Amino acid sequence: MSRAIDRGNEALDAIDLSGDPLVALARYVEVGWHPVDEARALLVAAQRELPAGRIRELHSGPAARVETLVARGRAEGVFRTDLPIAWLVNVLHSVMHSAADEIRAGRLASDRAAAHITATVLAAFTPPGKPVPEPGAGA
């Protein structure tokens, strides 16, 4: 599990999370969901064997990236502030894991996963009362 997370962190290190937080979030999803998909079966096995605290510890690198991005998006008024940052990070990663499950179940095409994840997360991250940005329009 640790090696899979390290490989995922290498991919995530290459993502440019600067600039417009909506665009940065879309870039994160585009790259970040692949390691999740590749390691999904490993995570399921690890969840049976490792304590939840150890799983969270192993995911601290990816979580920190998203926490920083969400905090910046909140400061710029594009991400909601009524829910804790940790919750929003969990939502993003849960949606990524769900996409991997849907691909394995044959209900989602792999080439559509990033678009589905981005659309879902944009809706979840948008402040109440604001229109949800279109995934391709600036995000």
Side-chain angles (χ1 to χ4, degrees), residues 19-104:
D20 182 340
L22 295 170
V23 175
L25 178 64
R27 284 193 297 259
Y28 181 90
V29 169
E30 184 67 37
V31 173
W33 86 269
H34 292 284
V36 170
D37 185 36
E38 292 165 4
R40 183 67 179 140
L42 183 57
L43 176 61
V44 170
Q47 287 171 327
R48 285 191 297 254
E49 301 297 324
L50 298 174
R54 178 66 178 137
I55 301 283
R56 278 191 302 279
E57 180 184 317
L58 288 168
H59 284 87
S60 64
R65 280 181 186 79
V66 180
E67 287 171 2
T68 300
L69 176 58
V70 171
R72 188 166 57 83
R74 288 165 64 129
E76 294 180 25
V78 296
F79 294 153
R80 64 191 310 151
T81 59
D82 61 323
L83 296 173
I85 290 174
W87 176 255
L88 296 174
V89 171
N90 183 57
V91 167
L92 170 60
H93 290 134
S94 294
V95 172
M96 288 180 164
H97 286 279
S98 292
D101 290 342
E102 289 298 292
I103 290 166
R104 281 191 181 61

